[in-house]
Amino acid sequence: MYASREDLINLIALSKADRVALAAQKKLDELPQRAQILAARKKRASILEKQQSVAEMRKSAEQEFAKISDEDAMLADKQSAVQATINSVHGDFRSVEAHTKELNGLQKRRSALDTQLEQVDARLEKIKAVEAQIETILSQIQVEEDAAVESFRAEGGELKAKVASAQASAAQYASTLPDELVKLYQKTAKKCAGVALGVLEGNKCSVCRSSIDESHLIDLKASRPLGVCPSCKRLLITDPPIER
Ligand SMILES: [Zn+2]
């Protein structure tokens, strides 16, 4: 197809700028910090879930502790009341005996509660230790994530600027080309992973490196200075503009 020497020069510059933008974008996408940040966030989410379930365990242990303590306090009051009764019924042997028996029963129950209280308390201590571990892990994750974010901002910022400036020059070159040629170039770029332009080198396409057979070469030469690679379908410059 027809293209002026000026068009070819701008087309090559456009293609170069696009490739620079593409390479910088690829580097940006592949920055290891991105994966590190995602991994840290995933880890945090799972630790927070664990923290939630430990908090529930703690709540239930605390409720149990309170319930046992309440019963124990109630029994202590009862003990005092029974003791007071015993103190007031001098001489009534049967009554004293019955109340003493009740007192023993209360004491027995309180001893059992004491054992339970110790067990719940030990459980609470373990839960607190796990909570402290979780806090430590969470702050470690935060440190890792902060470092990755900071390094991503520095490295990623440079690459983003490179992408933006290459895209700006690509747009600049595109604006100098005939609309139809730009449209064809962009359509080809979309189909060819961003690389839309090659140069015929001998009988080979400079991008896909396929050898082009004689009959296709004749077609290509007929469409000079700009044709289409029969193999990869990229635009192919058959007559590169000679530098003046
Ligand atoms: Zn090709």
Side-chain angles (χ1 to χ4, degrees):
M1 79 196 68
Y2 172 76
S4 71
R5 182 180 172 275
E6 209 58 32
D7 288 346
L8 292 181
I9 288 171
N10 286 324
L11 193 61
I12 291 168
L14 164 60
S15 168
K16 272 186 188 159
D18 271 350
R19 288 175 87 149
V20 169
L22 215 63
Q25 183 63 51
K26 188 165 181 274
K27 259 193 188 169
L28 184 63
D29 292 341
E30 287 170 356
L31 278 183
Q33 294 92 328
R34 205 183 272 266
Q36 286 162 5
I37 293 166
L38 286 179
R41 289 183 182 163
K42 203 173 157 193
K43 204 162 144 195
R44 175 183 299 110
S46 102
I47 298 288
L48 286 177
E49 231 172 78
K50 173 140 187 152
Q51 191 179 44
Q52 183 69 33
S53 85
V54 172
E56 275 159 27
M57 279 165 68
R58 180 191 177 118
K59 200 177 157 196
S60 123
E62 279 170 349
Q63 278 170 351
E64 208 178 324
F65 193 92
K67 198 179 149 208
I68 297 168
S69 301
D70 286 351
E71 188 184 346
D72 190 57
M74 191 263 288
L75 292 178
D77 286 349
K78 217 168 178 180
Q79 260 182 334
S80 308
V82 174
Q83 189 60 57
T85 310
I86 292 172
N87 293 346
S88 67
V89 292
H90 312 284
D92 184 348
F93 179 71
R94 277 179 183 282
S95 176
V96 168
E97 194 183 36
H99 282 110
T100 304
K101 215 171 165 186
E102 193 185 354
L103 213 52
N104 288 342
L106 288 170
Q107 191 48 53
K108 209 173 156 191
R109 176 66 187 149
R110 285 195 72 194
S111 296
L113 289 179
D114 208 37
T115 309
Q116 282 180 28
L117 218 49
E118 270 171 28
Q119 285 166 350
V120 177
D121 197 43
R123 223 164 80 212
L124 268 169
E125 284 309 310
K126 274 186 195 161
I127 291 171
K128 280 179 198 168
V130 172
E131 281 179 331
Q133 268 176 1
I134 287 176
E135 285 302 333
T136 306
I137 294 170
L138 282 175
S139 46
Q140 279 166 354
I141 292 173
Q142 192 61 51
V143 169
E144 282 166 26
E145 187 183 339
D146 287 350
V149 165
E150 197 183 323
S151 140
F152 182 72
R153 274 197 193 128
E155 257 186 84
E158 262 175 52
L159 286 168
K160 272 183 197 161
K162 201 169 177 185
V163 171
S165 107
Q167 281 173 343
S169 16
Q172 180 62 36
Y173 291 121
S175 73
T176 66
L177 292 168
D179 281 355
E180 220 169 303
L181 186 53
V182 173
K183 273 183 198 154
L184 182 62
Y185 171 87
Q186 283 168 347
K187 210 172 122 192
T188 310
K190 231 178 215 177
K191 280 193 280 190
C192 301
V195 181
L197 186 69
V199 176
L200 183 66
E201 291 173 347
N203 66 342
K204 279 186 173 150
C205 162
S206 67
V207 184
C208 73
R209 308 305 304 167
S210 301
S211 298
I212 296 164
D213 65 41
E214 203 54 44
S215 67
H216 281 118
L217 267 182
I218 292 167
D219 291 347
L220 264 177
K221 295 271 164 79
S223 69
R224 64 198 339 169
L226 189 61
V228 172
C229 169
S231 181
C232 69
K233 314 293 181 203
R234 289 185 170 90
L235 295 175
L236 205 55
I237 293 180
T238 54
D239 297 84
I242 298 150
E243 302 281 335
R244 277 183 200 153

